[in-house]
Amino acid sequence: YAKNQQCLDISHALSAKTDEISQKVDDKIAECEALKIALSAAKDELFSYWSKTVPAGDVGFMAKDGLSSVEIQRLCSKINEKCATACVVSKQTDGTSKICLFSAVCDTNKVGRAICTALGGKGGGNEDLSCGSLPLLSEEELKAFFVQQFNL
């Protein structure tokens, strides 16, 4: 009885007859995948727009709240297209900040570890990309430390 009731509940939720549930579920999965692709494209456009606000040059720095690790990397990569070294910091809801560095001119693993160590965080990476987490600091404090400490 319980399984039959669950099937009827799903049928009602999908507005489908019980023998059409499987197809409706497949349709919903395909719809979700299409929405994920559209959202990813829209985020790429947003990151391109944001990166245009960073002046071209040696160092590009941006702080944006609430970005995921992957989103931080994507935005940092966009900024690194016009700046030799790019840094993106994002405040998180857990009271920390995530940081990402891309560079064509310095070893981001060394720089990233130095930043994280000096500011009480942790992180690592390779010569081209470094990511980490930091205690929550203001955008101004982070930007000043990044530029001042490493003269990039």
Side-chain angles (χ1 to χ4, degrees):
Y1 173 78
K3 286 184 182 181
N4 193 33
Q5 186 58 46
Q6 287 177 342
C7 188
L8 289 172
D9 292 344
I10 293 169
S11 172
H12 290 289
L14 294 173
S15 299
K17 296 178 183 175
T18 53
D19 59 341
E20 297 172 349
I21 291 174
S22 180
Q23 182 59 48
K24 286 288 188 174
V25 168
D26 289 344
D27 292 347
K28 289 292 181 188
I29 290 171
E31 181 182 349
C32 284
E33 289 303 314
L35 290 170
K36 285 180 187 177
I37 291 168
L39 179 59
S40 180
K43 284 182 179 181
D44 276 342
E45 286 182 41
L46 179 62
F47 298 154
S48 290
Y49 174 78
W50 283 345
S51 71
K52 289 177 184 175
T53 66
V54 175
D58 292 336
V59 177
F61 180 89
M62 181 170 282
K64 291 289 180 184
D65 295 350
L67 299 178
S68 71
S69 296
V70 171
E71 291 168 341
I72 295 166
Q73 290 178 23
R74 288 169 57 191
L75 176 56
C76 197
S77 177
K78 292 281 186 190
I79 295 169
N80 191 223
E81 290 173 8
K82 60 192 284 184
C83 298
T85 300
C87 178
V88 174
V89 177
S90 182
K91 292 180 187 176
Q92 304 298 298
T93 57
D94 66 358
T96 64
S97 293
K98 292 184 179 184
I99 185 171
C100 180
L101 300 165
F102 272 92
S103 183
V105 296
C106 70
D107 183 339
T108 61
N109 186 41
K110 289 180 183 175
V111 173
R113 284 183 186 270
I115 290 171
C116 289
T117 300
L119 297 176
K122 60 182 180 176
N126 58 44
E127 290 180 0
D128 303 322
L129 164 70
S130 179
C131 297
S133 64
L134 303 168
L136 195 58
L137 300 169
S138 74
E139 176 181 347
E140 294 77 24
E141 290 172 308
L142 290 167
K143 185 175 182 179
F145 180 85
F146 179 72
V147 172
Q148 200 173 54
Q149 191 73 18
F150 299 100
N151 294 323
L152 298 174

